[in-house]
mmCIF file of all heavy atoms in Angstrom:
data_model
loop_
_atom_site.group_PDB
_atom_site.id
_atom_site.type_symbol
_atom_site.label_atom_id
_atom_site.label_comp_id
_atom_site.label_asym_id
_atom_site.label_seq_id
_atom_site.Cartn_x
_atom_site.Cartn_y
_atom_site.Cartn_z
ATOM 1 N N PHE X 1 74.315 122.442 81.572
ATOM 2 C CA PHE X 1 74.015 122.020 82.945
ATOM 3 C C PHE X 1 73.592 120.554 83.008
ATOM 4 O O PHE X 1 74.103 119.786 83.828
ATOM 5 C CB PHE X 1 72.913 122.905 83.519
ATOM 6 C CG PHE X 1 72.401 122.456 84.867
ATOM 7 C CD1 PHE X 1 73.070 122.798 86.028
ATOM 8 C CD2 PHE X 1 71.243 121.684 84.969
ATOM 9 C CE1 PHE X 1 72.604 122.381 87.267
ATOM 10 C CE2 PHE X 1 70.768 121.269 86.203
ATOM 11 C CZ PHE X 1 71.456 121.618 87.361
ATOM 12 N N GLU X 2 72.635 120.144 82.166
ATOM 13 C CA GLU X 2 72.115 118.774 82.249
ATOM 14 C C GLU X 2 73.205 117.750 81.983
ATOM 15 O O GLU X 2 73.277 116.719 82.658
ATOM 16 C CB GLU X 2 70.950 118.596 81.268
ATOM 17 C CG GLU X 2 69.681 119.321 81.664
ATOM 18 C CD GLU X 2 69.699 120.811 81.341
ATOM 19 O OE1 GLU X 2 70.632 121.256 80.622
ATOM 20 O OE2 GLU X 2 68.782 121.521 81.798
ATOM 21 N N GLU X 3 74.067 118.035 81.007
ATOM 22 C CA GLU X 3 75.177 117.120 80.728
ATOM 23 C C GLU X 3 76.108 117.037 81.937
ATOM 24 O O GLU X 3 76.574 115.946 82.300
ATOM 25 C CB GLU X 3 75.954 117.594 79.511
ATOM 26 C CG GLU X 3 77.133 116.682 79.166
ATOM 27 C CD GLU X 3 78.094 117.310 78.188
ATOM 28 O OE1 GLU X 3 78.641 118.394 78.496
ATOM 29 O OE2 GLU X 3 78.318 116.710 77.128
ATOM 30 N N ALA X 4 76.375 118.175 82.579
ATOM 31 C CA ALA X 4 77.241 118.177 83.747
ATOM 32 C C ALA X 4 76.650 117.334 84.877
ATOM 33 O O ALA X 4 77.373 116.606 85.569
ATOM 34 C CB ALA X 4 77.486 119.611 84.225
ATOM 35 N N VAL X 5 75.340 117.417 85.070
ATOM 36 C CA VAL X 5 74.687 116.613 86.106
ATOM 37 C C VAL X 5 74.865 115.126 85.805
ATOM 38 O O VAL X 5 75.184 114.332 86.704
ATOM 39 C CB VAL X 5 73.200 116.988 86.215
ATOM 40 C CG1 VAL X 5 72.447 115.984 87.093
ATOM 41 C CG2 VAL X 5 73.046 118.393 86.780
ATOM 42 N N ASP X 6 74.669 114.737 84.554
ATOM 43 C CA ASP X 6 74.850 113.331 84.181
ATOM 44 C C ASP X 6 76.292 112.881 84.427
ATOM 45 O O ASP X 6 76.535 111.768 84.929
ATOM 46 C CB ASP X 6 74.485 113.123 82.707
ATOM 47 C CG ASP X 6 72.992 113.231 82.450
ATOM 48 O OD1 ASP X 6 72.202 113.096 83.416
ATOM 49 O OD2 ASP X 6 72.605 113.461 81.289
ATOM 50 N N LEU X 7 77.243 113.736 84.083
ATOM 51 C CA LEU X 7 78.648 113.394 84.297
ATOM 52 C C LEU X 7 78.968 113.299 85.788
ATOM 53 O O LEU X 7 79.731 112.425 86.213
ATOM 54 C CB LEU X 7 79.547 114.445 83.639
ATOM 55 C CG LEU X 7 79.580 114.424 82.107
ATOM 56 C CD1 LEU X 7 80.273 115.663 81.565
ATOM 57 C CD2 LEU X 7 80.277 113.165 81.600
ATOM 58 N N ALA X 8 78.373 114.166 86.582
ATOM 59 C CA ALA X 8 78.605 114.113 88.037
ATOM 60 C C ALA X 8 78.095 112.803 88.613
ATOM 61 O O ALA X 8 78.737 112.213 89.496
ATOM 62 C CB ALA X 8 77.919 115.301 88.709
ATOM 63 N N ARG X 9 76.958 112.332 88.124
ATOM 64 C CA ARG X 9 76.404 111.073 88.627
ATOM 65 C C ARG X 9 77.306 109.891 88.297
ATOM 66 O O ARG X 9 77.375 108.918 89.060
ATOM 67 C CB ARG X 9 75.020 110.846 88.019
ATOM 68 C CG ARG X 9 73.950 111.804 88.550
ATOM 69 C CD ARG X 9 72.663 111.637 87.785
ATOM 70 N NE ARG X 9 71.612 112.543 88.267
ATOM 71 C CZ ARG X 9 70.631 113.000 87.511
ATOM 72 N NH1 ARG X 9 70.541 112.646 86.238
ATOM 73 N NH2 ARG X 9 69.733 113.822 88.026
ATOM 74 N N SER X 10 78.004 109.985 87.184
ATOM 75 C CA SER X 10 78.885 108.879 86.784
ATOM 76 C C SER X 10 80.313 109.049 87.297
ATOM 77 O O SER X 10 81.179 108.226 86.982
ATOM 78 C CB SER X 10 78.900 108.761 85.253
ATOM 79 O OG SER X 10 79.470 109.913 84.657
ATOM 80 N N THR X 11 80.553 110.109 88.073
ATOM 81 C CA THR X 11 81.888 110.382 88.600
ATOM 82 C C THR X 11 81.772 110.638 90.097
ATOM 83 O O THR X 11 81.977 111.760 90.579
ATOM 84 C CB THR X 11 82.504 111.612 87.890
ATOM 85 O OG1 THR X 11 82.242 111.539 86.487
ATOM 86 C CG2 THR X 11 84.012 111.680 88.104
ATOM 87 N N PRO X 12 81.462 109.610 90.889
ATOM 88 C CA PRO X 12 81.107 109.827 92.298
ATOM 89 C C PRO X 12 82.245 110.326 93.169
ATOM 90 O O PRO X 12 81.990 110.895 94.235
ATOM 91 C CB PRO X 12 80.626 108.444 92.756
ATOM 92 C CG PRO X 12 81.253 107.479 91.806
ATOM 93 C CD PRO X 12 81.324 108.194 90.491
ATOM 94 N N ASP X 13 83.502 110.135 92.763
ATOM 95 C CA ASP X 13 84.623 110.606 93.573
ATOM 96 C C ASP X 13 84.902 112.092 93.399
ATOM 97 O O ASP X 13 85.713 112.660 94.134
ATOM 98 C CB ASP X 13 85.900 109.834 93.225
ATOM 99 C CG ASP X 13 85.833 108.377 93.657
ATOM 100 O OD1 ASP X 13 85.087 108.083 94.610
ATOM 101 O OD2 ASP X 13 86.521 107.540 93.034
ATOM 102 N N LEU X 14 84.251 112.702 92.430
ATOM 103 C CA LEU X 14 84.444 114.127 92.173
ATOM 104 C C LEU X 14 83.492 114.930 93.055
ATOM 105 O O LEU X 14 82.272 114.790 92.949
ATOM 106 C CB LEU X 14 84.177 114.433 90.696
ATOM 107 C CG LEU X 14 84.293 115.906 90.264
ATOM 108 C CD1 LEU X 14 85.724 116.404 90.417
ATOM 109 C CD2 LEU X 14 83.826 116.062 88.808
ATOM 110 N N GLY X 15 84.028 115.755 93.959
ATOM 111 C CA GLY X 15 83.184 116.621 94.757
ATOM 112 C C GLY X 15 82.547 117.689 93.884
ATOM 113 O O GLY X 15 83.227 118.288 93.046
ATOM 114 N N VAL X 16 81.245 117.939 94.070
ATOM 115 C CA VAL X 16 80.534 118.912 93.239
ATOM 116 C C VAL X 16 79.877 119.959 94.131
ATOM 117 O O VAL X 16 79.038 119.631 94.970
ATOM 118 C CB VAL X 16 79.470 118.244 92.349
ATOM 119 C CG1 VAL X 16 78.746 119.297 91.498
ATOM 120 C CG2 VAL X 16 80.110 117.196 91.435
ATOM 121 N N GLY X 17 80.274 121.198 93.947
ATOM 122 C CA GLY X 17 79.672 122.315 94.656
ATOM 123 C C GLY X 17 78.870 123.182 93.705
ATOM 124 O O GLY X 17 78.606 122.821 92.560
ATOM 125 N N LEU X 18 78.498 124.355 94.179
ATOM 126 C CA LEU X 18 77.637 125.283 93.439
ATOM 127 C C LEU X 18 78.420 126.545 93.116
ATOM 128 O O LEU X 18 78.975 127.194 94.009
ATOM 129 C CB LEU X 18 76.402 125.613 94.283
ATOM 130 C CG LEU X 18 75.507 126.757 93.825
ATOM 131 C CD1 LEU X 18 74.971 126.513 92.416
ATOM 132 C CD2 LEU X 18 74.350 126.947 94.801
ATOM 133 N N HIS X 19 78.438 126.910 91.847
ATOM 134 C CA HIS X 19 79.115 128.112 91.361
ATOM 135 C C HIS X 19 78.063 129.209 91.216
ATOM 136 O O HIS X 19 77.493 129.407 90.144
ATOM 137 C CB HIS X 19 79.782 127.788 90.019
ATOM 138 C CG HIS X 19 80.910 128.690 89.629
ATOM 139 N ND1 HIS X 19 81.941 129.013 90.474
ATOM 140 C CD2 HIS X 19 81.183 129.330 88.451
ATOM 141 C CE1 HIS X 19 82.813 129.789 89.845
ATOM 142 N NE2 HIS X 19 82.353 130.014 88.621
ATOM 143 N N LEU X 20 77.763 129.896 92.321
ATOM 144 C CA LEU X 20 76.743 130.937 92.273
ATOM 145 C C LEU X 20 77.132 132.004 91.252
ATOM 146 O O LEU X 20 78.294 132.393 91.145
ATOM 147 C CB LEU X 20 76.567 131.571 93.650
ATOM 148 C CG LEU X 20 75.799 130.755 94.690
ATOM 149 C CD1 LEU X 20 75.789 131.493 96.027
ATOM 150 C CD2 LEU X 20 74.376 130.451 94.239
ATOM 151 N N ASN X 21 76.118 132.504 90.526
ATOM 152 C CA ASN X 21 76.403 133.338 89.361
ATOM 153 C C ASN X 21 75.388 134.470 89.256
ATOM 154 O O ASN X 21 74.185 134.223 89.153
ATOM 155 C CB ASN X 21 76.354 132.450 88.108
ATOM 156 C CG ASN X 21 76.589 133.235 86.826
ATOM 157 O OD1 ASN X 21 77.168 134.311 86.843
ATOM 158 N ND2 ASN X 21 76.126 132.682 85.724
ATOM 159 N N LEU X 22 75.895 135.690 89.268
ATOM 160 C CA LEU X 22 75.070 136.863 88.979
ATOM 161 C C LEU X 22 75.654 137.702 87.862
ATOM 162 O O LEU X 22 75.248 138.845 87.671
ATOM 163 C CB LEU X 22 74.937 137.747 90.237
ATOM 164 C CG LEU X 22 74.223 137.183 91.456
ATOM 165 C CD1 LEU X 22 74.197 138.231 92.580
ATOM 166 C CD2 LEU X 22 72.804 136.736 91.128
ATOM 167 N N VAL X 23 76.595 137.146 87.099
ATOM 168 C CA VAL X 23 77.342 137.968 86.148
ATOM 169 C C VAL X 23 77.469 137.376 84.750
ATOM 170 O O VAL X 23 77.942 138.065 83.841
ATOM 171 C CB VAL X 23 78.760 138.264 86.686
ATOM 172 C CG1 VAL X 23 78.699 139.085 87.954
ATOM 173 C CG2 VAL X 23 79.542 136.991 86.929
ATOM 174 N N ARG X 24 77.062 136.127 84.535
ATOM 175 C CA ARG X 24 77.262 135.507 83.215
ATOM 176 C C ARG X 24 75.989 134.810 82.773
ATOM 177 O O ARG X 24 75.360 134.090 83.542
ATOM 178 C CB ARG X 24 78.415 134.497 83.273
ATOM 179 C CG ARG X 24 78.745 133.881 81.925
ATOM 180 C CD ARG X 24 79.876 132.895 82.015
ATOM 181 N NE ARG X 24 81.148 133.522 82.339
ATOM 182 C CZ ARG X 24 81.894 134.204 81.466
ATOM 183 N NH1 ARG X 24 81.484 134.371 80.221
ATOM 184 N NH2 ARG X 24 83.041 134.728 81.846
ATOM 185 N N GLY X 25 75.635 134.991 81.476
ATOM 186 C CA GLY X 25 74.440 134.360 80.948
ATOM 187 C C GLY X 25 73.177 135.052 81.443
ATOM 188 O O GLY X 25 73.175 136.249 81.741
ATOM 189 N N LYS X 26 72.110 134.283 81.541
ATOM 190 C CA LYS X 26 70.824 134.823 81.972
ATOM 191 C C LYS X 26 70.388 134.163 83.273
ATOM 192 O O LYS X 26 70.696 133.002 83.535
ATOM 193 C CB LYS X 26 69.766 134.579 80.891
ATOM 194 C CG LYS X 26 70.035 135.355 79.606
ATOM 195 C CD LYS X 26 68.920 135.157 78.579
ATOM 196 C CE LYS X 26 69.190 135.987 77.334
ATOM 197 N NZ LYS X 26 68.111 135.840 76.318
ATOM 198 N N PRO X 27 69.642 134.902 84.105
ATOM 199 C CA PRO X 27 69.203 134.341 85.382
ATOM 200 C C PRO X 27 68.137 133.271 85.200
ATOM 201 O O PRO X 27 67.480 133.185 84.157
ATOM 202 C CB PRO X 27 68.639 135.556 86.127
ATOM 203 C CG PRO X 27 68.225 136.497 85.052
ATOM 204 C CD PRO X 27 69.202 136.297 83.927
ATOM 205 N N LEU X 28 67.967 132.471 86.236
ATOM 206 C CA LEU X 28 66.872 131.501 86.259
ATOM 207 C C LEU X 28 65.561 132.171 86.650
ATOM 208 O O LEU X 28 64.490 131.679 86.311
ATOM 209 C CB LEU X 28 67.188 130.382 87.252
ATOM 210 C CG LEU X 28 68.466 129.583 87.003
ATOM 211 C CD1 LEU X 28 68.630 128.513 88.085
ATOM 212 C CD2 LEU X 28 68.452 128.938 85.622
ATOM 213 N N SER X 29 65.638 133.287 87.361
ATOM 214 C CA SER X 29 64.435 133.995 87.796
ATOM 215 C C SER X 29 63.757 134.683 86.622
ATOM 216 O O SER X 29 64.426 135.114 85.674
ATOM 217 C CB SER X 29 64.807 135.058 88.844
ATOM 218 O OG SER X 29 65.527 134.509 89.914
ATOM 219 N N PRO X 30 62.438 134.822 86.655
ATOM 220 C CA PRO X 30 61.741 135.572 85.594
ATOM 221 C C PRO X 30 62.138 137.035 85.613
ATOM 222 O O PRO X 30 62.585 137.568 86.650
ATOM 223 C CB PRO X 30 60.264 135.377 85.940
ATOM 224 C CG PRO X 30 60.246 135.044 87.393
ATOM 225 C CD PRO X 30 61.508 134.293 87.672
ATOM 226 N N SER X 31 61.971 137.706 84.469
ATOM 227 C CA SER X 31 62.452 139.082 84.338
ATOM 228 C C SER X 31 61.795 140.025 85.333
ATOM 229 O O SER X 31 62.425 140.972 85.815
ATOM 230 C CB SER X 31 62.232 139.584 82.914
ATOM 231 O OG SER X 31 60.854 139.505 82.562
ATOM 232 N N GLY X 32 60.539 139.783 85.660
ATOM 233 C CA GLY X 32 59.865 140.649 86.617
ATOM 234 C C GLY X 32 60.467 140.593 88.004
ATOM 235 O O GLY X 32 60.337 141.531 88.791
ATOM 236 N N GLU X 33 61.152 139.495 88.299
ATOM 237 C CA GLU X 33 61.786 139.316 89.603
ATOM 238 C C GLU X 33 63.251 139.696 89.579
ATOM 239 O O GLU X 33 63.809 140.136 90.578
ATOM 240 C CB GLU X 33 61.625 137.849 90.017
ATOM 241 C CG GLU X 33 62.018 137.514 91.431
ATOM 242 C CD GLU X 33 61.725 136.046 91.732
ATOM 243 O OE1 GLU X 33 62.611 135.208 91.495
ATOM 244 O OE2 GLU X 33 60.602 135.755 92.186
ATOM 245 N N SER X 34 63.881 139.562 88.411
ATOM 246 C CA SER X 34 65.327 139.736 88.321
ATOM 247 C C SER X 34 65.732 141.057 87.684
ATOM 248 O O SER X 34 66.914 141.271 87.419
ATOM 249 C CB SER X 34 65.934 138.586 87.498
ATOM 250 O OG SER X 34 65.423 138.583 86.176
ATOM 251 N N PHE X 35 64.789 141.988 87.457
ATOM 252 C CA PHE X 35 65.109 143.191 86.689
ATOM 253 C C PHE X 35 66.261 144.016 87.258
ATOM 254 O O PHE X 35 67.006 144.640 86.483
ATOM 255 C CB PHE X 35 63.857 144.058 86.500
ATOM 256 C CG PHE X 35 63.365 144.738 87.747
ATOM 257 C CD1 PHE X 35 63.809 146.009 88.085
ATOM 258 C CD2 PHE X 35 62.438 144.118 88.570
ATOM 259 C CE1 PHE X 35 63.351 146.637 89.228
ATOM 260 C CE2 PHE X 35 61.975 144.740 89.720
ATOM 261 C CZ PHE X 35 62.435 146.004 90.056
ATOM 262 N N PRO X 36 66.519 144.047 88.593
ATOM 263 C CA PRO X 36 67.694 144.813 89.045
ATOM 264 C C PRO X 36 69.016 144.172 88.651
ATOM 265 O O PRO X 36 70.066 144.809 88.757
ATOM 266 C CB PRO X 36 67.541 144.825 90.572
ATOM 267 C CG PRO X 36 66.121 144.497 90.839
ATOM 268 C CD PRO X 36 65.736 143.541 89.744
ATOM 269 N N LEU X 37 68.984 142.926 88.199
ATOM 270 C CA LEU X 37 70.210 142.183 87.894
ATOM 271 C C LEU X 37 70.547 142.172 86.404
ATOM 272 O O LEU X 37 71.661 141.774 86.037
ATOM 273 C CB LEU X 37 70.076 140.720 88.349
ATOM 274 C CG LEU X 37 69.620 140.435 89.779
ATOM 275 C CD1 LEU X 37 69.442 138.934 89.969
ATOM 276 C CD2 LEU X 37 70.610 140.996 90.778
ATOM 277 N N ILE X 38 69.613 142.569 85.537
ATOM 278 C CA ILE X 38 69.738 142.256 84.112
ATOM 279 C C ILE X 38 69.732 143.498 83.236
ATOM 280 O O ILE X 38 69.262 144.564 83.621
ATOM 281 C CB ILE X 38 68.616 141.303 83.662
ATOM 282 C CG1 ILE X 38 67.241 141.941 83.865
ATOM 283 C CG2 ILE X 38 68.720 139.969 84.396
ATOM 284 C CD1 ILE X 38 66.086 141.120 83.328
ATOM 285 N N ARG X 39 70.229 143.286 82.018
ATOM 286 C CA ARG X 39 70.143 144.312 80.989
ATOM 287 C C ARG X 39 68.738 144.267 80.380
ATOM 288 O O ARG X 39 68.233 143.178 80.068
ATOM 289 C CB ARG X 39 71.176 144.064 79.890
ATOM 290 C CG ARG X 39 72.611 144.070 80.383
ATOM 291 C CD ARG X 39 73.611 144.072 79.227
ATOM 292 N NE ARG X 39 73.479 142.893 78.384
ATOM 293 C CZ ARG X 39 74.456 142.001 78.177
ATOM 294 N NH1 ARG X 39 75.618 142.146 78.766
ATOM 295 N NH2 ARG X 39 74.269 140.979 77.380
ATOM 296 N N PRO X 40 68.100 145.401 80.176
ATOM 297 C CA PRO X 40 66.728 145.372 79.669
ATOM 298 C C PRO X 40 66.612 144.912 78.229
ATOM 299 O O PRO X 40 65.565 144.427 77.805
ATOM 300 C CB PRO X 40 66.271 146.836 79.820
ATOM 301 C CG PRO X 40 67.534 147.635 79.869
ATOM 302 C CD PRO X 40 68.551 146.760 80.522
ATOM 303 N N ASP X 41 67.695 145.014 77.444
ATOM 304 C CA ASP X 41 67.588 144.682 76.023
ATOM 305 C C ASP X 41 67.542 143.183 75.762
ATOM 306 O O ASP X 41 66.786 142.715 74.897
ATOM 307 C CB ASP X 41 68.737 145.319 75.231
ATOM 308 C CG ASP X 41 70.109 144.945 75.768
ATOM 309 O OD1 ASP X 41 70.188 144.516 76.935
ATOM 310 O OD2 ASP X 41 71.091 145.075 75.015
ATOM 311 N N ASP X 42 68.340 142.397 76.503
ATOM 312 C CA ASP X 42 68.410 140.963 76.219
ATOM 313 C C ASP X 42 68.193 140.065 77.434
ATOM 314 O O ASP X 42 68.206 138.842 77.321
ATOM 315 C CB ASP X 42 69.738 140.617 75.554
ATOM 316 C CG ASP X 42 70.951 140.921 76.446
ATOM 317 O OD1 ASP X 42 70.748 141.401 77.584
ATOM 318 O OD2 ASP X 42 72.083 140.691 75.994
ATOM 319 N N GLY X 43 68.012 140.645 78.612
ATOM 320 C CA GLY X 43 67.749 139.839 79.803
ATOM 321 C C GLY X 43 68.958 139.156 80.391
ATOM 322 O O GLY X 43 68.821 138.348 81.315
ATOM 323 N N ALA X 44 70.163 139.454 79.878
ATOM 324 C CA ALA X 44 71.387 138.871 80.432
ATOM 325 C C ALA X 44 71.815 139.662 81.672
ATOM 326 O O ALA X 44 71.431 140.820 81.851
ATOM 327 C CB ALA X 44 72.504 138.871 79.396
ATOM 328 N N PHE X 45 72.602 139.017 82.507
ATOM 329 C CA PHE X 45 73.097 139.688 83.709
ATOM 330 C C PHE X 45 73.866 140.964 83.345
ATOM 331 O O PHE X 45 74.619 140.990 82.371
ATOM 332 C CB PHE X 45 74.025 138.778 84.498
ATOM 333 C CG PHE X 45 73.335 137.726 85.311
ATOM 334 C CD1 PHE X 45 73.593 136.371 85.091
ATOM 335 C CD2 PHE X 45 72.422 138.063 86.309
ATOM 336 C CE1 PHE X 45 72.966 135.394 85.839
ATOM 337 C CE2 PHE X 45 71.789 137.093 87.064
ATOM 338 C CZ PHE X 45 72.058 135.761 86.829
#
């Protein structure tokens, strides 16, 4: 993510939107808030 943000800043003609995600990787929310979304063993979606 951080590298992508840096690249976006240096590429001003590239439109950048948001790829909402509930299915890949781990959520940004803490486990106590995101438990309906995640696997209990590893906290991934």
Side-chain angles (χ1 to χ4, degrees):
F1 173 83
E2 289 79 10
E3 180 194 59
V5 169
D6 289 341
L7 289 169
R9 290 173 180 152
S10 65
T11 317
D13 292 334
L14 178 65
V16 180
L18 169 58
H19 202 49
L20 284 177
N21 178 22
L22 296 180
V23 296
R24 184 180 293 283
K26 294 183 178 181
L28 301 180
S29 306
S31 58
E33 189 176 89
S34 61
F35 71 91
L37 309 175
I38 61 175
R39 300 190 299 240
D41 55 340
D42 62 0
F45 282 121

